[in-house]
């Protein structure tokens, strides 16, 4: 094992200090940066043998400017933040950490879904404002609530997280439709069926997005698909913000074309004040935390550690750009 290799973490602060970190120093010389701005990337990776990024974008010009670089790891399942083709041209493997957060993300999907279906935020706020104390009755509802049992959940993208969401939906008594661009095995629970994207949006009471971001699907959730949904339907996105045309979704919520949306991601993060969804009605937004449970982040760092260990041993794991 080459203990002289230098590993640079570009945004270690995004993973947090409230969890145990593996002993990376036993593998390499380690440099941790809490965060890295775009104009700081080249200087910070110039003498790096290995680079780890969570959300810092590594473009072709960055990769070309790092002569010693021979490994890129993502502290994430997604890898769209790395130009994997530019890395492949340099024979640099790009390795991710799959499936570390599926349980946490599925849990968050249902937290958003349940909050919207049960109008939890609206009624909790009304209690804090004193409405229950002044009520003539033992209960009240400002808007009707909905139960999920018997409803249909549409899952766009049926990998590990999509599967986890489907299992939860089945436990809630929901039927599941799934759309996957590549063939997938059907799960054991029923009712379940694969469907086209158009059929899924038209038939589902809730649609949850679980696909990776690509050039082809950027902005695919647009006015056309939203208009095809039931007026009572909900849209959940804990995948990637740019999957949604945000202006179209904001308009759909304003016009009552769909009933609500629960989002953990937006197209630009941190979310700018000018994002049209920030003040959209019936839109519940959390700050990209679905992946961030203590348990998931602990698994994530262990996965990063194992990927580095395997690379240094000559057997890279979870390679996403075909370089072995």
């Amino acid at each position: 094992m080459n203990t002289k290799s230098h590993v640079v973490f570009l945004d270690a602060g995004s993973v947090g200090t409230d969890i145990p970190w593996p002993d990376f120093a036993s593998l390499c010389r380690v440099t941790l940066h809490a965060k890295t701005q775009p104009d700081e990337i080249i200087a910070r990776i110039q003498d790096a043998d290995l680079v780890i990024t969570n959300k810092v974008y590594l473009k072709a010009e960055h990769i070309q400017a790092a002569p010693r670089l021979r490994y890129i790891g993502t502290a994430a399942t997604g890898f769209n933040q790395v130009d994997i083709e530019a890395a492949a041209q340099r024979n640099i493997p790009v390795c991710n950490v799959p499936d570390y957060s599926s349980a946490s993300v599925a849990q968050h999907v249902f937290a958003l879904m349940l909050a919207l279906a049960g109008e939890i935020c609206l009624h909790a706020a009304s209690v804090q404002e004193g409405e229950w104390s002044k009520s003539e009755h033992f209960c009240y509802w400002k808007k009707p609530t909905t139960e999920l049992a018997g409803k249909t959940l549409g899952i766009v993208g049926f990998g590990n997280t999509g599967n986890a969401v489907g299992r939860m939906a089945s436990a809630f008594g929901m039927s599941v439709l799934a759309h996957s661009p590549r063939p997938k095995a059907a799960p054991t629970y029923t009712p379940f069926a694969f469907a086209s994207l158009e059929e899924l949006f038209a038939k589902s009471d809730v649609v949850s997005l679980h696909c990776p971001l690509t050039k082809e699907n950027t902005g695919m959730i647009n006015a056309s698909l939203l208009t095809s949904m039931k007026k009572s339907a909900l849209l959940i996105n804990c995948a990637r913000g740019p999957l949604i045309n945000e202006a179209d979704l904001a308009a759909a919520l304003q016009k009552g074309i769909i009933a609500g949306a629960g989002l953990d991601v937006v197209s630009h993060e941190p979310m700018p004040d000018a994002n049209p969804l920030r003040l959209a009605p019936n839109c519940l937004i959390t700050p990209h935390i679905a992946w961030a449970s203590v348990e998931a982040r602990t698994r994530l760092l262990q996965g990063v550690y194992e990927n580095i260990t395997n690379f240094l041993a000559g057997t890279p794991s979870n390679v996403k750009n075909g370089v072995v």
Side-chain angles (χ1 to χ4, degrees), residues 122-137:
L122 173 68
H123 288 97
S126 78
V127 172
Q128 290 187 332
E129 291 164 4
E131 288 191 48
W132 201 10
S133 302
K134 299 171 186 175
S135 176
E136 296 179 355
H137 302 285

Side-chain angles (χ1 to χ4, degrees), residues 201-202 222-231 248 252 257-258:
F201 269 78
N222 55 23
S224 176
L225 275 178
L226 293 166
T227 302
S228 73
M229 297 176 76
K230 301 175 183 179
K231 288 192 67 174
D248 285 359
I257 291 171
I258 64 171

Side-chain angles (χ1 to χ4, degrees), residues 119-314:
E119 297 290 351
I120 301 298
C121 298
L122 173 68
H123 288 97
S126 78
V127 172
Q128 290 187 332
E129 291 164 4
E131 288 191 48
W132 201 10
S133 302
K134 299 171 186 175
S135 176
E136 296 179 355
H137 302 285
F138 77 95
C139 72
Y140 62 91
W141 51 90
K142 299 175 73 66
K143 287 178 67 176
T145 63
T146 302
E147 66 179 33
L148 297 177
K151 301 297 192 297
T152 297
L153 174 65
I155 301 173
V156 181
F158 205 60
N160 292 324
T161 305
N163 265 291
V165 170
R167 289 193 298 272
M168 285 192 183
S170 181
F172 271 87
M174 302 181 79
S175 300
V176 177
L177 292 176
H179 174 75
S180 175
R182 290 177 294 278
K184 299 279 186 178
T188 56
Y189 56 78
T190 58
F192 174 89
F194 286 107
S196 69
L197 197 63
E198 293 74 18
E199 179 186 6
L200 183 148
F201 269 78
K203 291 185 175 180
S204 297
D205 298 288
V206 184
V207 172
S208 189
L209 307 181
H210 296 287
C211 45
L213 180 67
T214 66
K215 294 177 182 178
E216 292 74 25
N217 65 20
T218 297
M220 72 174 182
I221 312 304
N222 55 23
S224 176
L225 275 178
L226 293 166
T227 302
S228 73
M229 297 176 76
K230 301 175 183 179
K231 288 192 67 174
S232 58
L234 304 173
L235 176 67
I236 309 292
N237 187 13
C238 291
R240 289 291 181 264
L243 294 169
I244 294 175
N245 181 313
E246 292 174 336
D248 285 359
L249 177 56
L253 292 167
Q254 290 282 356
K255 297 173 183 176
I257 291 171
I258 64 171
L263 311 173
D264 187 54
V265 289
V266 292
S267 59
H268 296 284
E269 298 171 350
M271 183 181 192
D273 285 342
N275 187 302
L277 292 168
R278 189 173 69 88
L279 299 177
N282 301 318
C283 188
L284 181 58
I285 304 175
T286 52
H288 204 145
I289 58 171
W291 68 280
S293 69
V294 167
E295 295 83 358
R297 286 183 288 125
T298 300
R299 288 191 294 268
L300 171 63
L301 284 180
Q302 185 60 37
V304 171
Y305 180 88
E306 291 172 3
N307 280 348
I308 291 175
T309 300
N310 292 339
F311 170 76
L312 293 175

Side-chain angles (χ1 to χ4, degrees), residues 9-221:
F9 287 71
L10 290 174
D11 49 351
S14 66
V15 182
T17 58
D18 57 334
I19 55 174
W21 276 63
D23 185 12
F24 288 101
S26 67
L27 303 177
C28 303
R29 180 165 60 93
V30 181
T31 300
L32 300 180
H33 298 287
K35 60 181 180 180
T36 297
Q37 299 298 331
D39 60 357
E40 298 174 321
I41 296 173
I42 290 177
R44 290 184 172 180
I45 70 172
Q46 275 210 316
D47 70 340
D49 300 288
L50 301 86
V51 170
I52 308 298
T53 178
N54 186 337
K55 292 294 181 288
V56 175
Y57 280 80
L58 287 176
K59 300 179 180 178
E61 58 264 34
H62 303 136
I63 295 169
Q64 292 162 2
R68 290 176 49 179
L69 186 61
R70 53 197 181 92
Y71 173 91
I72 298 172
T74 66
T77 297
F79 50 92
N80 60 290
Q81 68 274 46
V82 180
D83 188 327
I84 62 173
E85 294 177 359
Q89 289 173 2
R90 287 268 317 271
N91 204 37
I92 297 170
V94 177
C95 303
N96 75 337
V97 184
D99 204 25
Y100 75 92
S101 64
S102 294
S104 290
V105 174
Q107 174 180 299
H108 200 81
V109 166
F110 268 84
L112 292 171
M113 199 185 308
L114 290 164
L116 289 165
E119 297 290 351
I120 301 298
C121 298
L122 173 68
H123 288 97
S126 78
V127 172
Q128 290 187 332
E129 291 164 4
E131 288 191 48
W132 201 10
S133 302
K134 299 171 186 175
S135 176
E136 296 179 355
H137 302 285
F138 77 95
C139 72
Y140 62 91
W141 51 90
K142 299 175 73 66
K143 287 178 67 176
T145 63
T146 302
E147 66 179 33
L148 297 177
K151 301 297 192 297
T152 297
L153 174 65
I155 301 173
V156 181
F158 205 60
N160 292 324
T161 305
N163 265 291
V165 170
R167 289 193 298 272
M168 285 192 183
S170 181
F172 271 87
M174 302 181 79
S175 300
V176 177
L177 292 176
H179 174 75
S180 175
R182 290 177 294 278
K184 299 279 186 178
T188 56
Y189 56 78
T190 58
F192 174 89
F194 286 107
S196 69
L197 197 63
E198 293 74 18
E199 179 186 6
L200 183 148
F201 269 78
K203 291 185 175 180
S204 297
D205 298 288
V206 184
V207 172
S208 189
L209 307 181
H210 296 287
C211 45
L213 180 67
T214 66
K215 294 177 182 178
E216 292 74 25
N217 65 20
T218 297
M220 72 174 182
I221 312 304

